[in-house]
Tab-separated table of all heavy atoms in Angstrom:
chain	number	residue	atom	x	y	z
R	26	LEU	N	-47.013	0.735	177.071
R	26	LEU	CA	-46.067	1.839	177.069
R	26	LEU	C	-46.100	2.577	178.405
R	26	LEU	O	-47.123	2.675	179.063
R	26	LEU	CB	-46.369	2.820	175.928
R	26	LEU	CG	-45.979	2.307	174.553
R	26	LEU	CD1	-46.382	3.306	173.492
R	26	LEU	CD2	-44.502	2.026	174.450
R	27	SER	N	-44.986	3.119	178.797
R	27	SER	CA	-44.823	3.683	180.129
R	27	SER	C	-45.684	4.903	180.375
R	27	SER	O	-45.757	5.814	179.568
R	27	SER	CB	-43.349	4.079	180.305
R	27	SER	OG	-43.169	4.927	181.381
R	29	THR	N	-44.869	6.927	182.560
R	29	THR	CA	-43.864	7.966	182.767
R	29	THR	C	-43.575	8.681	181.466
R	29	THR	O	-43.507	9.905	181.394
R	29	THR	CB	-42.563	7.352	183.308
R	29	THR	OG1	-42.854	6.710	184.544
R	29	THR	CG2	-41.504	8.413	183.519
R	30	ALA	N	-43.400	7.892	180.389
R	30	ALA	CA	-43.145	8.510	179.089
R	30	ALA	C	-44.331	9.340	178.656
R	30	ALA	O	-44.191	10.431	178.116
R	30	ALA	CB	-42.844	7.436	178.046
R	33	GLN	N	-44.512	12.941	180.086
R	33	GLN	CA	-43.544	13.978	179.764
R	33	GLN	C	-44.234	15.105	179.005
R	33	GLN	O	-45.030	14.864	178.113
R	33	GLN	CB	-42.413	13.401	178.917
R	33	GLN	CG	-41.592	12.360	179.685
R	33	GLN	CD	-40.330	12.031	178.946
R	33	GLN	OE1	-39.705	12.920	178.389
R	33	GLN	NE2	-39.948	10.769	178.958
R	80	GLN	N	-45.437	8.248	173.484
R	80	GLN	CA	-44.150	8.887	173.712
R	80	GLN	C	-44.144	10.297	173.133
R	80	GLN	O	-45.123	10.746	172.526
R	80	GLN	CB	-43.037	8.056	173.079
R	80	GLN	CG	-42.826	6.704	173.729
R	80	GLN	CD	-41.706	5.924	173.071
R	80	GLN	OE1	-41.504	5.982	171.859
R	80	GLN	NE2	-40.963	5.174	173.877
R	84	ALA	N	-38.781	12.538	174.756
R	84	ALA	CA	-38.377	11.218	175.249
R	84	ALA	C	-37.467	10.522	174.249
R	84	ALA	O	-36.477	9.880	174.629
R	84	ALA	CB	-39.611	10.375	175.535
R	87	THR	N	-34.045	12.112	174.338
R	87	THR	CA	-33.315	11.821	175.567
R	87	THR	C	-32.779	10.403	175.607
R	87	THR	O	-31.666	10.153	176.074
R	87	THR	CB	-34.227	12.058	176.791
R	87	THR	OG1	-34.643	13.427	176.801
R	87	THR	CG2	-33.512	11.737	178.092
R	88	ASN	N	-33.534	9.433	175.108
R	88	ASN	CA	-33.219	8.025	175.343
R	88	ASN	C	-32.653	7.259	174.155
R	88	ASN	O	-32.062	6.200	174.338
R	88	ASN	CB	-34.481	7.308	175.829
R	88	ASN	CG	-34.995	7.873	177.133
R	88	ASN	OD1	-34.250	8.058	178.081
R	88	ASN	ND2	-36.293	8.169	177.194
R	89	SER	N	-32.838	7.746	172.938
R	89	SER	CA	-32.522	6.940	171.754
R	89	SER	C	-31.047	6.904	171.390
R	89	SER	O	-30.592	5.992	170.694
R	89	SER	CB	-33.309	7.460	170.546
R	89	SER	OG	-32.859	8.765	170.200
R	158	LEU	N	-39.783	3.842	166.041
R	158	LEU	CA	-40.116	2.737	166.932
R	158	LEU	C	-41.605	2.465	166.908
R	158	LEU	O	-42.411	3.399	167.000
R	158	LEU	CB	-39.672	3.087	168.360
R	158	LEU	CG	-40.239	2.222	169.499
R	158	LEU	CD1	-39.743	0.776	169.374
R	158	LEU	CD2	-39.855	2.803	170.857
R	296	HIS	N	-40.682	-5.592	173.406
R	296	HIS	CA	-41.077	-4.501	172.521
R	296	HIS	C	-40.344	-3.212	172.900
R	296	HIS	O	-40.528	-2.698	174.003
R	296	HIS	CB	-42.585	-4.289	172.621
R	296	HIS	CG	-43.115	-3.311	171.615
R	296	HIS	ND1	-43.052	-3.539	170.255
R	296	HIS	CD2	-43.706	-2.095	171.769
R	296	HIS	CE1	-43.601	-2.518	169.619
R	296	HIS	NE2	-43.993	-1.631	170.514
R	297	GLY	N	-39.534	-2.693	172.001
R	297	GLY	CA	-38.839	-1.447	172.283
R	297	GLY	C	-37.677	-1.215	171.355
R	297	GLY	O	-37.378	-2.014	170.460
R	298	LEU	N	-36.994	-0.091	171.587
R	298	LEU	CA	-35.807	0.281	170.812
R	298	LEU	C	-34.568	-0.207	171.553
R	298	LEU	O	-34.373	0.123	172.723
R	298	LEU	CB	-35.737	1.800	170.640
R	298	LEU	CG	-34.543	2.309	169.826
R	298	LEU	CD1	-34.754	2.022	168.342
R	298	LEU	CD2	-34.325	3.803	170.062
R	300	VAL	N	-31.082	-0.119	173.085
R	300	VAL	CA	-30.067	0.860	173.448
R	300	VAL	C	-29.016	0.171	174.309
R	300	VAL	O	-29.215	-0.953	174.778
R	300	VAL	CB	-30.667	2.067	174.203
R	300	VAL	CG1	-31.663	2.821	173.318
R	300	VAL	CG2	-31.333	1.628	175.506
R	302	PRO	N	-26.654	1.807	177.254
R	302	PRO	CA	-26.098	2.956	177.977
R	302	PRO	C	-24.616	2.762	178.296
R	302	PRO	O	-24.167	1.651	178.609
R	302	PRO	CB	-26.935	2.994	179.265
R	302	PRO	CG	-28.199	2.284	178.913
R	302	PRO	CD	-27.807	1.213	177.942
R	310	GLY	N	-27.620	5.900	174.414
R	310	GLY	CA	-28.974	5.898	174.913
R	310	GLY	C	-29.098	5.735	176.414
R	310	GLY	O	-28.114	5.596	177.145
R	311	THR	N	-30.341	5.740	176.851
R	311	THR	CA	-30.692	5.589	178.256
R	311	THR	C	-31.780	4.534	178.365
R	311	THR	O	-32.766	4.579	177.623
R	311	THR	CB	-31.214	6.915	178.836
R	311	THR	OG1	-30.224	7.931	178.646
R	311	THR	CG2	-31.521	6.774	180.318
R	312	ALA	N	-31.598	3.594	179.291
R	312	ALA	CA	-32.620	2.574	179.499
R	312	ALA	C	-33.840	3.218	180.152
R	312	ALA	O	-33.739	3.940	181.131
R	312	ALA	CB	-32.074	1.455	180.366
R	313	ALA	N	-35.001	2.966	179.574
R	313	ALA	CA	-36.256	3.528	180.071
R	313	ALA	C	-37.375	2.653	179.519
R	313	ALA	O	-37.114	1.639	178.859
R	313	ALA	CB	-36.420	4.981	179.626
R	314	ALA	N	-38.604	3.031	179.812
R	314	ALA	CA	-39.718	2.265	179.266
R	314	ALA	C	-39.619	2.244	177.743
R	314	ALA	O	-39.602	3.276	177.087
R	314	ALA	CB	-41.037	2.886	179.696
R	315	TYR	N	-39.475	1.043	177.191
R	315	TYR	CA	-39.411	0.815	175.748
R	315	TYR	C	-38.162	1.386	175.093
R	315	TYR	O	-38.098	1.580	173.893
R	315	TYR	CB	-40.719	1.248	175.075
R	315	TYR	CG	-41.792	0.316	175.564
R	315	TYR	CD1	-42.461	0.593	176.747
R	315	TYR	CD2	-42.021	-0.889	174.934
R	315	TYR	CE1	-43.367	-0.312	177.266
R	315	TYR	CE2	-42.917	-1.797	175.448
R	315	TYR	CZ	-43.590	-1.502	176.620
R	315	TYR	OH	-44.467	-2.409	177.142
R	316	PHE	N	-37.134	1.600	175.922
R	316	PHE	CA	-35.761	1.789	175.472
R	316	PHE	C	-34.974	0.727	176.242
R	316	PHE	O	-34.671	0.899	177.433
R	316	PHE	CB	-35.257	3.201	175.766
R	316	PHE	CG	-35.988	4.260	174.993
R	316	PHE	CD1	-37.084	4.900	175.554
R	316	PHE	CD2	-35.618	4.602	173.705
R	316	PHE	CE1	-37.784	5.868	174.843
R	316	PHE	CE2	-36.306	5.569	172.989
R	316	PHE	CZ	-37.395	6.205	173.560
R	317	LEU	N	-34.668	-0.400	175.572
R	317	LEU	CA	-34.269	-1.630	176.251
R	317	LEU	C	-32.759	-1.844	176.168
R	317	LEU	O	-32.161	-1.767	175.091
R	317	LEU	CB	-35.010	-2.816	175.633
R	317	LEU	CG	-36.545	-2.667	175.600
R	317	LEU	CD1	-37.188	-3.892	174.976
R	317	LEU	CD2	-37.102	-2.414	176.996
R	318	ASN	N	-32.147	-2.130	177.310
R	318	ASN	CA	-30.700	-2.244	177.433
R	318	ASN	C	-30.221	-3.559	176.827
R	318	ASN	O	-30.176	-4.588	177.492
R	318	ASN	CB	-30.309	-2.144	178.912
R	318	ASN	CG	-28.795	-2.076	179.087
R	318	ASN	OD1	-28.034	-2.213	178.141
R	318	ASN	ND2	-28.362	-1.856	180.315
Side-chain angles (χ1 to χ4, degrees):
L26 286 177
S27 164
T29 300
Q33 295 192 40
Q80 293 180 324
T87 300
N88 298 312
S89 66
L158 165 65
H296 188 64
L298 181 74
V300 298
T311 303
Y315 294 86
F316 294 93
L317 306 180
N318 187 354

